Tab-separated table of all heavy atoms in Angstrom:
chain	number	residue	atom	x	y	z
A	348	THR	N	-41.906	89.995	18.269
A	348	THR	CA	-41.920	89.065	17.145
A	348	THR	C	-40.846	88.002	17.317
A	348	THR	O	-39.680	88.322	17.579
A	348	THR	CB	-41.702	89.809	15.819
A	348	THR	OG1	-42.789	90.723	15.621
A	348	THR	CG2	-41.653	88.849	14.651
A	349	ALA	N	-41.255	86.742	17.183
A	349	ALA	CA	-40.322	85.615	17.205
A	349	ALA	C	-39.857	85.349	15.774
A	349	ALA	O	-40.685	85.258	14.862
A	349	ALA	CB	-40.991	84.377	17.783
A	350	TRP	N	-38.556	85.237	15.586
A	350	TRP	CA	-37.956	85.028	14.269
A	350	TRP	C	-37.436	83.605	14.145
A	350	TRP	O	-36.743	83.092	15.036
A	350	TRP	CB	-36.794	86.002	14.040
A	350	TRP	CG	-37.207	87.408	13.792
A	350	TRP	CD1	-38.027	88.171	14.549
A	350	TRP	CD2	-36.806	88.237	12.696
A	350	TRP	NE1	-38.172	89.428	14.014
A	350	TRP	CE2	-37.424	89.499	12.875
A	350	TRP	CE3	-35.976	88.049	11.594
A	350	TRP	CZ2	-37.252	90.554	11.990
A	350	TRP	CZ3	-35.793	89.099	10.710
A	350	TRP	CH2	-36.427	90.332	10.901
A	351	PHE	N	-37.754	82.992	13.002
A	351	PHE	CA	-37.269	81.663	12.657
A	351	PHE	C	-36.781	81.700	11.207
A	351	PHE	O	-37.211	82.549	10.418
A	351	PHE	CB	-38.382	80.618	12.759
A	351	PHE	CG	-39.028	80.514	14.119
A	351	PHE	CD1	-40.015	81.413	14.515
A	351	PHE	CD2	-38.676	79.502	14.989
A	351	PHE	CE1	-40.614	81.312	15.766
A	351	PHE	CE2	-39.272	79.387	16.242
A	351	PHE	CZ	-40.241	80.297	16.623
A	352	ALA	N	-35.911	80.767	10.836
A	352	ALA	CA	-35.475	80.684	9.440
A	352	ALA	C	-34.942	79.297	9.139
A	352	ALA	O	-34.501	78.564	10.034
A	352	ALA	CB	-34.403	81.735	9.137
A	353	MET	N	-34.985	78.933	7.855
A	353	MET	CA	-34.247	77.780	7.350
A	353	MET	C	-33.401	78.258	6.172
A	353	MET	O	-33.741	79.241	5.510
A	353	MET	CB	-35.160	76.615	6.970
A	353	MET	CG	-36.089	76.847	5.814
A	353	MET	SD	-36.978	75.335	5.289
A	353	MET	CE	-38.026	74.977	6.696
A	354	LEU	N	-32.288	77.568	5.930
A	354	LEU	CA	-31.326	77.973	4.921
A	354	LEU	C	-31.271	76.977	3.778
A	354	LEU	O	-31.650	75.803	3.933
A	354	LEU	CB	-29.932	78.105	5.550
A	354	LEU	CG	-29.812	79.007	6.777
A	354	LEU	CD1	-28.367	79.030	7.260
A	354	LEU	CD2	-30.323	80.413	6.491
A	355	ASP	N	-30.786	77.442	2.630
A	355	ASP	CA	-30.696	76.565	1.476
A	355	ASP	C	-29.805	75.352	1.748
A	355	ASP	O	-30.063	74.257	1.248
A	355	ASP	CB	-30.221	77.331	0.235
A	355	ASP	CG	-28.887	78.045	0.426
A	355	ASP	OD1	-28.387	78.126	1.569
A	355	ASP	OD2	-28.340	78.531	-0.580
A	356	SER	N	-28.772	75.526	2.566
A	356	SER	CA	-27.891	74.408	2.889
A	356	SER	C	-28.598	73.351	3.730
A	356	SER	O	-28.197	72.178	3.745
A	356	SER	CB	-26.650	74.918	3.633
A	356	SER	OG	-27.021	75.586	4.836
A	357	GLU	N	-29.651	73.749	4.446
A	357	GLU	CA	-30.415	72.825	5.281
A	357	GLU	C	-31.546	72.138	4.513
A	357	GLU	O	-32.078	71.123	4.973
A	357	GLU	CB	-31.002	73.585	6.468
A	357	GLU	CG	-29.957	74.231	7.367
A	357	GLU	CD	-30.520	75.268	8.313
A	357	GLU	OE1	-31.661	75.737	8.073
A	357	GLU	OE2	-29.826	75.625	9.275
A	358	TRP	N	-31.908	72.706	3.381
A	358	TRP	CA	-33.083	72.233	2.667
A	358	TRP	C	-33.002	70.772	2.224
A	358	TRP	O	-33.990	70.035	2.378
A	358	TRP	CB	-33.409	73.137	1.483
A	358	TRP	CG	-34.503	72.600	0.610
A	358	TRP	CD1	-34.430	72.295	-0.720
A	358	TRP	CD2	-35.847	72.266	1.004
A	358	TRP	NE1	-35.625	71.789	-1.176
A	358	TRP	CE2	-36.514	71.765	-0.131
A	358	TRP	CE3	-36.533	72.342	2.209
A	358	TRP	CZ2	-37.836	71.348	-0.099
A	358	TRP	CZ3	-37.866	71.916	2.258
A	358	TRP	CH2	-38.497	71.435	1.110
A	359	PRO	N	-31.895	70.265	1.671
A	359	PRO	CA	-31.905	68.855	1.249
A	359	PRO	C	-32.299	67.891	2.367
A	359	PRO	O	-33.099	66.977	2.155
A	359	PRO	CB	-30.463	68.628	0.770
A	359	PRO	CG	-30.022	69.968	0.300
A	359	PRO	CD	-30.633	70.932	1.279
A	360	GLY	N	-31.758	68.098	3.565
A	360	GLY	CA	-32.131	67.237	4.683
A	360	GLY	C	-33.567	67.423	5.109
A	360	GLY	O	-34.274	66.455	5.419
A	361	LEU	N	-34.033	68.673	5.138
A	361	LEU	CA	-35.418	68.947	5.513
A	361	LEU	C	-36.388	68.402	4.464
A	361	LEU	O	-37.458	67.891	4.800
A	361	LEU	CB	-35.618	70.450	5.699
A	361	LEU	CG	-34.880	71.063	6.895
A	361	LEU	CD1	-34.968	72.581	6.850
A	361	LEU	CD2	-35.440	70.534	8.205
A	362	LYS	N	-36.005	68.498	3.203
A	362	LYS	CA	-36.841	67.967	2.122
A	362	LYS	C	-37.042	66.467	2.295
A	362	LYS	O	-38.173	65.954	2.188
A	362	LYS	CB	-36.196	68.266	0.778
A	362	LYS	CG	-36.962	67.703	-0.415
A	362	LYS	CD	-36.244	68.011	-1.723
A	362	LYS	CE	-37.009	67.454	-2.906
A	362	LYS	NZ	-36.304	67.734	-4.195
A	363	ALA	N	-35.954	65.738	2.560
A	363	ALA	CA	-36.062	64.293	2.757
A	363	ALA	C	-36.955	63.969	3.953
A	363	ALA	O	-37.731	63.007	3.938
A	363	ALA	CB	-34.670	63.699	2.945
A	364	ARG	N	-36.863	64.791	4.984
A	364	ARG	CA	-37.675	64.606	6.186
A	364	ARG	C	-39.161	64.794	5.877
A	364	ARG	O	-40.005	63.979	6.281
A	364	ARG	CB	-37.182	65.615	7.220
A	364	ARG	CG	-37.855	65.639	8.560
A	364	ARG	CD	-37.070	66.584	9.477
A	364	ARG	NE	-37.751	66.872	10.718
A	364	ARG	CZ	-38.511	67.941	10.921
A	364	ARG	NH1	-38.696	68.819	9.955
A	364	ARG	NH2	-39.088	68.143	12.090
A	365	PHE	N	-39.488	65.863	5.147
A	365	PHE	CA	-40.874	66.088	4.724
A	365	PHE	C	-41.386	64.896	3.913
A	365	PHE	O	-42.499	64.411	4.133
A	365	PHE	CB	-40.961	67.343	3.860
A	365	PHE	CG	-41.150	68.637	4.603
A	365	PHE	CD1	-40.181	69.622	4.548
A	365	PHE	CD2	-42.299	68.889	5.326
A	365	PHE	CE1	-40.353	70.827	5.205
A	365	PHE	CE2	-42.484	70.099	5.987
A	365	PHE	CZ	-41.499	71.067	5.932
A	366	GLU	N	-40.600	64.463	2.948
A	366	GLU	CA	-41.059	63.419	2.031
A	366	GLU	C	-41.261	62.090	2.743
A	366	GLU	O	-42.182	61.338	2.416
A	366	GLU	CB	-40.088	63.300	0.860
A	366	GLU	CG	-40.142	64.538	-0.044
A	366	GLU	CD	-39.140	64.508	-1.177
A	366	GLU	OE1	-38.237	63.622	-1.174
A	366	GLU	OE2	-39.236	65.371	-2.081
A	367	ARG	N	-40.409	61.809	3.711
A	367	ARG	CA	-40.601	60.584	4.487
A	367	ARG	C	-41.885	60.664	5.296
A	367	ARG	O	-42.638	59.692	5.397
A	367	ARG	CB	-39.398	60.352	5.402
A	367	ARG	CG	-39.514	59.073	6.217
A	367	ARG	CD	-38.300	58.845	7.094
A	367	ARG	NE	-38.549	57.771	8.042
A	367	ARG	CZ	-37.773	57.491	9.081
A	367	ARG	NH1	-36.674	58.207	9.282
A	367	ARG	NH2	-38.079	56.513	9.916
A	368	TRP	N	-42.147	61.836	5.892
A	368	TRP	CA	-43.362	61.969	6.695
A	368	TRP	C	-44.611	61.905	5.828
A	368	TRP	O	-45.613	61.297	6.214
A	368	TRP	CB	-43.347	63.293	7.465
A	368	TRP	CG	-44.492	63.418	8.432
A	368	TRP	CD1	-44.560	62.931	9.700
A	368	TRP	CD2	-45.763	64.044	8.185
A	368	TRP	NE1	-45.778	63.218	10.272
A	368	TRP	CE2	-46.529	63.891	9.359
A	368	TRP	CE3	-46.311	64.713	7.088
A	368	TRP	CZ2	-47.831	64.395	9.459
A	368	TRP	CZ3	-47.612	65.204	7.202
A	368	TRP	CH2	-48.363	65.054	8.381
A	369	LEU	N	-44.585	62.521	4.649
A	369	LEU	CA	-45.751	62.584	3.771
A	369	LEU	C	-46.030	61.271	3.050
A	369	LEU	O	-47.115	61.101	2.484
A	369	LEU	CB	-45.560	63.701	2.735
A	369	LEU	CG	-45.660	65.138	3.270
A	369	LEU	CD1	-45.090	66.114	2.254
A	369	LEU	CD2	-47.097	65.497	3.620
A	370	ALA	N	-45.084	60.351	3.042
A	370	ALA	CA	-45.255	59.087	2.324
A	370	ALA	C	-46.465	58.323	2.846
A	370	ALA	O	-46.749	58.307	4.051
A	370	ALA	CB	-43.994	58.240	2.459
A	371	ALA	N	-47.188	57.673	1.935
A	371	ALA	CA	-48.412	56.956	2.303
A	371	ALA	C	-48.166	55.921	3.387
A	371	ALA	O	-49.010	55.713	4.268
A	371	ALA	CB	-49.010	56.303	1.062
A	372	GLU	N	-47.002	55.273	3.357
A	372	GLU	CA	-46.737	54.218	4.340
A	372	GLU	C	-46.518	54.754	5.756
A	372	GLU	O	-46.454	53.966	6.712
A	372	GLU	CB	-45.517	53.388	3.911
A	372	GLU	CG	-44.257	54.180	3.676
A	372	GLU	CD	-44.067	54.601	2.227
A	372	GLU	OE1	-45.084	54.736	1.504
A	372	GLU	OE2	-42.907	54.779	1.828
A	373	ASN	N	-46.416	56.073	5.895
A	373	ASN	CA	-46.274	56.640	7.236
A	373	ASN	C	-47.624	56.819	7.930
A	373	ASN	O	-47.675	57.281	9.067
A	373	ASN	CB	-45.542	57.992	7.184
A	373	ASN	CG	-45.168	58.498	8.570
A	373	ASN	OD1	-44.741	57.728	9.427
A	373	ASN	ND2	-45.347	59.792	8.787
A	374	PHE	N	-48.710	56.420	7.271
A	374	PHE	CA	-50.041	56.579	7.849
A	374	PHE	C	-50.772	55.245	7.825
A	374	PHE	O	-50.683	54.492	6.850
A	374	PHE	CB	-50.831	57.644	7.073
A	374	PHE	CG	-50.210	59.016	7.176
A	374	PHE	CD1	-49.230	59.413	6.288
A	374	PHE	CD2	-50.587	59.887	8.190
A	374	PHE	CE1	-48.636	60.664	6.397
A	374	PHE	CE2	-49.998	61.139	8.308
A	374	PHE	CZ	-49.017	61.524	7.413
Side-chain angles (χ1 to χ4, degrees):
T348 297
W350 287 53
F351 302 81
M353 66 172 66
L354 306 180
D355 56 350
S356 59
E357 299 165 343
W358 173 239
L361 292 171
K362 178 181 180 181
R364 180 172 170 265
F365 273 117
E366 291 177 349
R367 181 179 169 192
W368 187 84
L369 288 165
E372 56 267 26
N373 190 41
F374 296 87

